[in-house]
């Protein structure tokens, strides 16, 4: 097992957006240690309709399993979490 690069994780998210959870699974299953990869793995299993496995991966990611299950909403949240902070979002550069 290895840690995914941000590029690999973004690729997995793009595959999830396209509905190709099998290809996304091939990527995310290589990283069982990082929270974002575990979250993506959980989304894969939501899309696969394997909710017990999805719940497991959400626990691994230390995320609350959604009460209303929506793969598109979870993908959007994950995609947002992968975005680098924008200038000024931390308050730096403002006077």
């Amino acid at each position: 097992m290895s840690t995914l690069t941000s590029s690999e994780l973004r690729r997995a998210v793009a595959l999830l957006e396209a509905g190709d959870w099998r290809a996304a699974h091939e990527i995310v299953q290589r990283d069982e240690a990082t929270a974002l990869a575990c979250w993506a793995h959980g989304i894969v299993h939501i899309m696969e309709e394997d909710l017990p496995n999805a719940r497991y991966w959400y626990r691994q990611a230390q995320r609350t399993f959604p009460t209303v299950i929506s793969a598109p909403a979870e993908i959007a949240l994950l995609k947002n979490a992968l975005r680098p902070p924008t200038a000024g979002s931390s308050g730096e550069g403002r006077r």
Side-chain angles (χ1 to χ4, degrees), residues 20-59:
D20 192 351
W21 61 263
R22 286 178 180 88
H25 191 249
E26 289 297 318
I27 295 169
V28 300
Q29 71 183 351
R30 296 193 319 254
D31 183 347
E32 295 182 0
T34 62
L36 291 176
C38 290
W39 183 11
H41 204 154
I43 296 169
V44 163
H45 289 292
I46 286 173
M47 293 177 76
E48 185 187 14
E49 298 182 5
D50 179 359
L51 298 185
N53 213 356
R55 284 184 180 89
Y56 169 82
W57 286 107
Y58 270 72
R59 283 192 305 273

Side-chain angles (χ1 to χ4, degrees), residues 51-86:
L51 298 185
N53 213 356
R55 284 184 180 89
Y56 169 82
W57 286 107
Y58 270 72
R59 283 192 305 273
Q60 295 302 106
Q62 299 182 351
R63 290 192 63 84
T64 302
F65 194 75
T67 54
V68 176
I69 300 169
S70 168
E74 289 296 300
I75 293 165
L77 289 169
L78 176 57
K79 187 175 182 179
N80 190 51
L82 289 170
R83 286 196 179 112
T86 58

